[in-house]
């Protein structure tokens, strides 16, 4: 990412647990990118910038409410004015709660859709005119879009974000702009800690095939890969980062080693 300029929304750092935007900003900076750290909380944005600079990176704090279209336009313009170019965008801002799909008020429904879906569309539409060929966009979604259970507006909006990713990839492909999505699994980070009790950590860990707990850093590394030239031929893709799906069935018997030369007609492979 050396020599590139990235804008990451929702990248401020509050508290002790890292969020996806913060972690992505740190990884981008460590890979040589100049990072525009956008957050509506100025102190949080400055905190991220200070940590990037302390580690030898380059960063600039932006304060904007990405649900405001005018603020989105102003933020993109400020990035270009500051760094001269914008060639990587991460739409990370998110908000949610545990309320059921029909338990929220119309006002709350609009708020959640605006934060989780419309904000990405607004920032992207202002970024497109300044993004050069070879640039890339990554949207941050959630495995909540494919889980069966009580419906939440958050999941509905994130499903829309994944559809937006597909549409944007097709629309912007001829301009040389790649658009992908990272689907976040049951990591434990700032967003999870703000929306569920600590007791949820162990069941979430056990719900993965790897039986390990994911973090915001796992998501950040996936996002930066999709922004980099190593993903130059990947667009319109949703990459799930979730520690592997849970086992649906008990594990089968162990696989035996295959002999170097099996006798004719002998069966090898799974033990009986």
């Amino acid at each position: 990412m050396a020599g590139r300029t990235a804008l990451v929304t929702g990248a401020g750092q509050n508290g002790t647990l890292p969020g996806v935007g913060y972690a992505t900003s740190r990884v981008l900076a460590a890979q040589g990118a100049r990072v525009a750290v956008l957050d509506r909380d100025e102190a949080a944005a400055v905190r991220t910038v200070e940590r990037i600079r302390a580690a030898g990176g380059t960063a600039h704090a932006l304060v904007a409410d990405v649900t405001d279209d005018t603020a989105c336009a102003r933020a993109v313009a400020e990035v270009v004015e500051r760094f001269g170019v914008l060639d990587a965008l991460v739409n990370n801002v998110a908000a949610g709660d545990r309320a059921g799909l029909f338990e929220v008020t119309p006002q709350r429904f609009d708020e959640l859709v605006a934060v989780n879906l419309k904000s990405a569309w607004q920032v992207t539409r202002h970024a497109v005119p300044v993004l050069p060929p070879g640039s890339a966009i990554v949207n941050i979604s959630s495995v909540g879009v494919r889980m069966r259970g009580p419906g939440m507006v958050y999941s509905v909006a994130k499903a829309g974000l994944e559809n937006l990713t597909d549409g944007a990839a097709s629309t912007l492909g001829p301009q040389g702009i790649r658009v992908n999505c990272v689907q976040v699994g049951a990591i434990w980070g700032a967003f999870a800690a703000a929306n569920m009790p600590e007791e949820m950590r162990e069941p979430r860990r056990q719900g993965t095939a790897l039986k390990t707990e994911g973090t915001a850093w796992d998501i950040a590394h996936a996002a930066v890969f999709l922004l980099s030239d190593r993903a130059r031929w990947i667009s319109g893709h949703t990459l799930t980062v979730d520690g592997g799906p849970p086992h649906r069935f008990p594990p089968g018997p162990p696989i035996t080693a295959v002999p170097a030369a099996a006798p004719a007609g002998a069966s090898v492979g799974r033990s009986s």
Side-chain angles (χ1 to χ4, degrees):
M1 297 302 295
R4 298 193 178 185
T5 298
L7 169 60
V8 183
T9 70
Q13 173 64 8
N14 281 312
T16 56
L17 284 173
V20 170
Y22 168 80
T24 303
S25 296
R26 292 294 306 270
V27 174
L28 280 165
Q31 295 294 327
R34 300 176 294 256
V35 185
V37 176
L38 186 153
D39 205 284
R40 65 180 181 180
D41 182 337
E42 182 175 11
V46 169
R47 193 173 296 114
T48 300
V49 168
E50 288 176 343
R51 293 180 184 178
I52 288 174
R53 290 175 178 171
T58 301
H60 173 64
L62 293 173
V63 180
D65 177 355
V66 290
T67 64
D68 182 329
D69 187 63
T70 300
C72 293
R74 187 169 57 247
V76 170
E78 187 174 339
V79 175
V80 176
E81 180 181 356
R82 176 83 179 192
F83 295 116
V85 67
L86 172 63
D87 40 26
L89 169 63
V90 180
N91 288 307
N92 165 72
V93 167
D97 53 39
R98 307 289 294 175
L101 188 60
F102 299 108
E103 296 171 3
V104 299
T105 64
Q107 179 182 1
R108 182 58 173 164
F109 185 97
D110 290 344
E111 289 173 352
L112 291 170
V113 171
V115 173
N116 293 295
L117 173 58
K118 189 178 179 181
S119 67
W121 172 75
Q122 288 183 159
V123 177
T124 300
R125 85 183 191 93
H126 290 296
V128 165
V130 301
L131 289 171
S135 57
I137 300 168
V138 169
N139 298 319
I140 305 298
S141 183
S142 167
V143 294
V145 305
R146 56 184 172 85
M147 290 183 175
R148 300 294 182 263
M152 293 185 293
V153 180
Y154 170 81
S155 299
V156 171
K158 287 299 188 182
L161 182 62
E162 293 187 10
N163 282 328
L164 174 65
T165 298
D166 292 343
S170 297
T171 301
L172 301 178
Q175 297 174 228
I177 301 172
R178 296 183 300 104
V179 188
N180 290 291
C181 186
V182 175
Q183 200 179 69
V184 181
I187 67 170
W188 191 258
F191 187 82
N195 287 281
M196 61 187 68
E198 180 84 10
E199 292 73 22
M200 288 293 295
R201 293 183 69 171
E202 182 58 17
R204 283 158 63 87
R205 183 183 73 81
Q206 290 293 337
T208 69
L210 292 176
K211 306 303 180 188
T212 56
E213 186 175 73
T215 73
W217 302 101
D218 297 307
I219 310 305
H221 286 291
V224 173
F225 163 70
L226 290 173
L227 292 172
S228 76
D229 283 342
R230 297 195 175 186
R232 60 174 291 275
W233 216 51
I234 300 174
S235 193
H237 179 71
T238 294
L239 174 60
T240 300
V241 184
D242 67 351
H247 293 293
R248 295 185 179 180
F249 307 103
I255 303 297
T256 59
V258 178
S267 62
V268 298
R270 188 176 292 274
S271 60
S272 58

